[in-house]
Amino acid sequence: KAGVTQTPRYLIKTRGQQVTLSCSPISGHRSVSWYQQTPGQGLQFLFEYFSETQRNKGNFPGRFSGRQFSNSRSEMNVSTLELGDSALYLCASSFTAGDTEAFFGQGTRLTVV
Amino acid sequence: GESVGLHLPTLSVQEGDNSIINCAYSNSASDYFIWYKQESGKGPQFIIDIRSNMDKRQGQRVTVLLNKTVKHLSLQIAATQPGDSAVYFCAEISSGGSYIPTFGRGTSLIVHP
C-alpha cells in the first residue's frame, strides 16, 4: 500500500510570506502528526490531529497551525515566515491517536530566504 | 541526502558485529520509549517501542533495554549489516494522556563492509 505522501518535497519562500504543506496519510490511518527537524534542534513535535481535531500541540508559536480534513489528509501552515523556520517538515500517520507505531513521509524541505 | 544533524555521536562497526546505541532520557514519568532509524534523504522509520513497565523487548535482530533507575535506554542490533547504516533516534512519550514525543539528538551508525 502507498506510504505517507508529503507535497511539495522542496520549497523556497521569502521572509514574511506564508506557506502551506500537505500530507496524505496511509489509507485507513486517521491520526496525523507533524514535526520540524533542524540541525540545531533535532526533531521536534509540532502537533497531532485525529478525526479533524487537534489533540496535542508542541511548544511552537501560533504562526504554526494545521488542520485535518474528513479524509484524514492534513495541512500545516506557517505564517510570517522567519529565517529560523528553514527546516525539514515531516508528517507521520498512524492508525489511531497515540499509536506509537507511526509511519513518516519523506518530508518537505523548506528554505526561507 | 538530507542532513539530520551536525556533530552527532558516531558509532562505527564492522559488518557482522553487534551494535549498541545508547540514549539518556529526562522524564521519569514517560510512558513509552521508541527507537527510530533515519536514512539519508528519508523520514524516520519506527524500529521498536517499549513500555515503561518493561525492561527488555526483542524484535527482529534488535533488542531494546530500559533502565529506569538511571534513565537509560539502549538499542542492540545483532549482526549489523551495511543497510543498518543510518541515524538512530530515541524518543520518550510523556504520560498524562498527551501524546507528545521528545526526541534525542541521534547517533550516526556507520557499518563498514
Side-chain angles (χ1 to χ4, degrees), chain B:
Chain B
E2 305 289 359
S3 171
V4 299
L6 299 177
H7 310 299
L8 289 177
T10 299
L11 175 65
S12 290
V13 301
Q14 290 296 128
E15 181 178 2
D17 286 352
N18 296 332
S19 303
I20 299 177
I21 300 170
N22 297 302
C23 177
Y25 64 91
S26 57
N27 187 352
S28 58
S30 291
D31 281 331
Y32 282 93
F33 302 88
I34 308 170
W35 279 101
Y36 293 96
K37 170 187 179 184
Q38 187 171 22
E39 297 174 88
S40 182
K42 297 184 178 180
Q45 176 187 354
F46 173 93
I47 301 172
I48 191 168
D49 63 0
I50 186 168
R51 283 198 73 160
S52 58
N53 62 355
M54 302 170 67
D55 52 24
K56 180 179 180 179
R57 189 169 186 214
Q58 290 184 288
Q60 187 176 13
R61 279 201 308 120
V62 296
T63 300
V64 57
L65 299 178
L66 176 62
N67 185 331
K68 293 182 284 294
T69 302
V70 295
K71 292 191 281 189
H72 181 268
L73 192 68
S74 69
L75 177 71
Q76 300 177 5
I77 305 173
T80 315
Q81 303 165 2
D84 294 327
S85 294
V87 174
Y88 289 80
F89 297 94
C90 67
E92 55 182 309
I93 310 296
S94 60
S95 60
S98 298
Y99 180 93
I100 299 181
T102 303
F103 296 88
R105 294 305 308 274
T107 295
S108 177
L109 175 66
I110 299 172
V111 183
H112 301 282

Side-chain angles (χ1 to χ4, degrees), chain A residues 32-34 45-49 54 56-58 64-66 76:
Chain A
V32 173
S33 298
W34 288 90
F45 172 80
L46 279 157
F47 25 67
E48 180 193 15
Y49 285 88
Q54 187 182 91
N56 294 295
K57 190 178 194 303
F64 291 81
S65 63
M76 69 161 281

Side-chain angles (χ1 to χ4, degrees), chain A residues 86-101:
Chain A
S86 295
L88 180 67
Y89 289 88
L90 292 156
C91 159
S93 79
S94 57
F95 182 70
T96 189
D99 195 346
T100 55
E101 188 168 3

